Amino acid sequence: MREYNFDGLVGPTHNFAGLSPGNLASQSHGGEPSHPREAALQGLEKMRFVAGLGVGQAVLPPQPRPSLRTLRALGFTGSDEEVITRAARESEHLLRLTSSASAMWTANAATIAPSSDTADGRLHLTPANLSQMFHRAIEADTTHSVLRAIFSDARHFAVHPPLPPGSHFADEGAANHTRLSTPGHAAVHLLAWGRGAWHDVAGPKRFPARQTLEASQALARLHQLDMRQVLFPQQHPDGIDAGAFHTDVLAVGNGAFLMLHELAFVDHPGLLQMLREKLGPDFRAIVATTAELPVQDAVRAYPFNSQVLTLPEGRMAIVAPVESRETPAARRFLERVVAEDSPVTAVHYLDVRQSMNNGGGPACLRQRISLTDAERGAITADVFYTPALHDSLAAWVRRNYREVLRPRDLQDPQLARETMTALDELTRILKLGSVYDFQQ
Ligand code: SUG
């Protein structure tokens, strides 16, 4: 089994629209000009760095934006250009909602269970319905098509449809999922959530909780996990109210290691006790208290939204955003993780500021998928990272992406045309086939 980090390529309409209440970075950068080309190149540099550590790396494509399909479904008619002009005239906000490049945060694309953990021995994938936020909910259908195209071999892969839409089964994908494992013990899946659809639990007061307990339970069933190996911890309501809209803002785990803030989960001591019982003495957790790392610093600097990567020789490295190096409490915490008795032996700080300014750190930008050699061999799309793929993607970005996007540029019908041209080219580079509606 080898883990591949499937990073989302940042789309050509990357912009700051202030669309996510409860996501403080999105709220505070809304309305600023964005730099799509720089954003996409920062993402590619991260992939190059992770691949350079000897870790499996792959890519997932962006989605067509503005979403003409959504605008047409809402009654705008005519040519593509007319649809955009009419929608802009009706509501600039609707155009913002349908233009986000938010599919770049592929941690939210799906939840995945590796074949080692499922009853039928296949890798299970469920695209997230992202029901809680309209601009993200419109990702689900295309994500489903893309995953079906890449994981097409039904002998190895089960690609489920997204959970039913609506608020009851609101699902945010792997941003709330952590798989932990120790030698000699079955892996444990943490499927976290922030609110109950019909389970009566106290939730946050200020900001929305996105994922429901009922959605997490459905994922465990669909993926045929052994229920003795699944825990459903609740995200701490105070953490959500401080800006931790997803679990991965305050916790990250890999293999035998979990690092978390004390406001990540309700009753974290109880959770860690259960994990010790299930995973044995090799399990190692490091908790940051509020005194050590104020939750505001954790939310601003995203030390937990790091990638914790197992290196080929078995040690672990953390890939953190540069904001964590610049924030003393966050940096001291990560340095403690390395200094203490933990499997982590290095921290690397990378610049993904364009994504960070919308609330997406290194961990948001990737979906972890562990594949056996046979499963890897069953994937024919050209999505696995190589230096040659890097070069062709970087050239593709330079050819197709604008340097700057200002809020009013979203009204330019030419932007949609440019995006379609770029994505059409990309599906050929990645050998994906026709996955987008405009290609049908
Ligand atoms: O869903 N931001 C994303 C950030 C997702 C981060 N993902 C994880 N934590 N795994 C969100 O809130 C902002 C878009 C805007 O405001 O323009 C946005 O959608």
Side-chain angles (χ1 to χ4, degrees):
M1 224 25 139
R2 180 167 192 227
E3 178 179 287
Y4 292 85
N5 288 263
F6 281 72
D7 277 42
L9 269 171
V10 176
T13 62
H14 160 66
N15 75 97
F16 302 116
L19 298 179
S20 292
N23 167 346
L24 303 185
S26 151
Q27 295 290 275
S28 66
H29 292 277
E32 289 177 6
S34 63
H35 295 85
R37 183 184 302 178
E38 187 188 2
L41 294 175
Q42 285 174 349
L44 278 171
E45 276 314 306
K46 180 168 91 67
M47 295 184 221
R48 187 210 299 274
F49 187 84
V50 168
L53 292 174
V55 176
Q57 180 67 59
V59 300
L60 289 173
Q63 301 200 357
R65 293 290 181 273
S67 171
L68 288 156
R69 169 167 54 180
T70 306
L71 293 173
R72 288 186 189 281
L74 293 171
F76 296 100
T77 54
S79 67
D80 293 346
E81 283 71 15
E82 282 165 342
V83 165
I84 290 162
T85 307
R86 286 170 182 162
R89 210 179 301 137
E90 176 86 17
S91 160
E92 275 178 49
H93 189 61
L94 179 57
L95 208 55
R96 283 194 285 273
L97 286 167
T98 49
S99 297
S100 178
S102 52
M104 65 202 269
W105 299 296
T106 53
N108 307 117
T111 307
I112 285 171
S115 54
S116 54
D117 301 354
T118 62
D120 68 359
R122 292 189 298 166
L123 176 96
H124 285 247
L125 308 92
T126 301
N129 60 25
L130 295 164
S131 288
Q132 186 67 27
M133 302 272 160
F134 180 77
H135 73 287
R136 304 225 53 187
I138 60 176
E139 293 168 34
D141 284 345
T142 303
T143 301
H144 191 200
S145 310
V146 167
L147 294 179
R148 268 193 320 225
I150 298 175
F151 300 93
S152 55
D153 189 335
R155 286 170 307 166
H156 293 289
F157 309 119
V159 182
H160 302 278
L163 297 183
S167 140
H168 277 54
F169 296 98
D171 170 20
E172 296 279 317
N176 293 317
H177 173 233
T178 309
R179 178 181 184 272
L180 297 165
S181 62
T182 49
H185 292 78
V188 174
H189 291 259
L190 301 183
L191 287 162
W193 51 278
R195 63 186 170 90
W198 59 79
H199 289 83
D200 189 18
V201 267
K205 298 192 173 62
R206 190 167 167 227
F207 291 139
R210 297 196 190 182
Q211 178 131 356
T212 64
L213 166 60
E214 292 79 358
S216 293
Q217 290 169 331
L219 293 170
R221 277 191 299 273
L222 277 169
H223 292 183
Q224 304 183 8
L225 297 173
D226 176 348
M227 287 299 174
R228 291 166 303 185
Q229 299 306 116
V230 185
L231 298 172
F232 297 100
Q234 182 185 356
Q235 292 172 267
H236 202 303
D238 295 347
I240 295 176
D241 276 340
F245 51 99
H246 289 138
T247 302
D248 66 9
V249 175
L250 291 180
V252 58
N254 177 51
F257 177 66
L258 178 67
M259 66 178 197
L260 65 160
H261 191 275
E262 64 175 338
L263 290 184
F265 301 110
V266 168
D267 185 24
H268 75 269
L271 174 66
L272 295 181
Q273 185 51 38
M274 273 195 284
L275 286 171
R276 273 182 218 106
E277 281 162 22
K278 290 189 185 296
L279 292 166
D282 288 332
F283 172 64
R284 182 84 179 89
I286 297 187
V287 181
T289 62
T290 301
E292 176 185 17
L293 176 55
V295 68
Q296 292 75 12
D297 283 350
V299 167
R300 184 167 354 104
Y302 266 35
F304 298 100
N305 202 263
S306 294
Q307 290 178 258
V308 183
L309 300 163
T310 302
L311 304 178
E313 73 278 17
R315 292 172 299 124
M316 293 186 194
I318 288 180
V319 171
V322 283
E323 286 80 352
S324 290
R325 186 172 58 198
E326 295 161 357
T327 304
R331 180 177 180 167
R332 276 196 302 272
F333 170 71
L334 291 176
E335 285 170 355
R336 174 164 84 83
V337 169
V338 174
E340 268 186 21
D341 168 34
S342 87
V344 180
T345 55
V347 183
H348 306 281
Y349 297 96
L350 295 193
D351 179 358
V352 288
R353 285 188 204 274
Q354 284 292 312
S355 168
M356 281 288 284
N357 289 350
N358 256 335
C364 300
L365 285 162
R366 61 93 177 92
Q367 174 72 231
R368 289 190 274 190
I369 307 185
S370 291
L371 299 170
T372 62
D373 289 344
E375 289 160 356
R376 165 79 167 80
I379 296 172
T380 54
D382 230 341
V383 290
F384 293 98
Y385 181 93
T386 59
L389 181 63
H390 183 109
D391 291 346
S392 68
L393 291 175
W396 169 80
V397 167
R398 292 202 172 87
R399 242 186 348 264
N400 289 291
Y401 281 50
R402 294 191 188 186
E403 204 150 341
V404 188
L405 265 189
R406 298 198 168 69
R408 67 169 180 281
D409 295 334
L410 298 181
Q411 298 171 36
D412 175 6
Q414 184 57 31
L415 181 63
R417 191 58 57 208
E418 286 166 25
T419 301
M420 287 188 264
T421 305
L423 295 196
D424 197 40
E425 230 180 87
L426 181 67
T427 52
R428 285 193 293 277
I429 297 175
L430 301 179
K431 298 196 176 63
L432 276 179
S434 300
V435 288
Y436 300 125
D437 339 297
F438 71 81
Q439 297 175 312
Q440 304 308 314

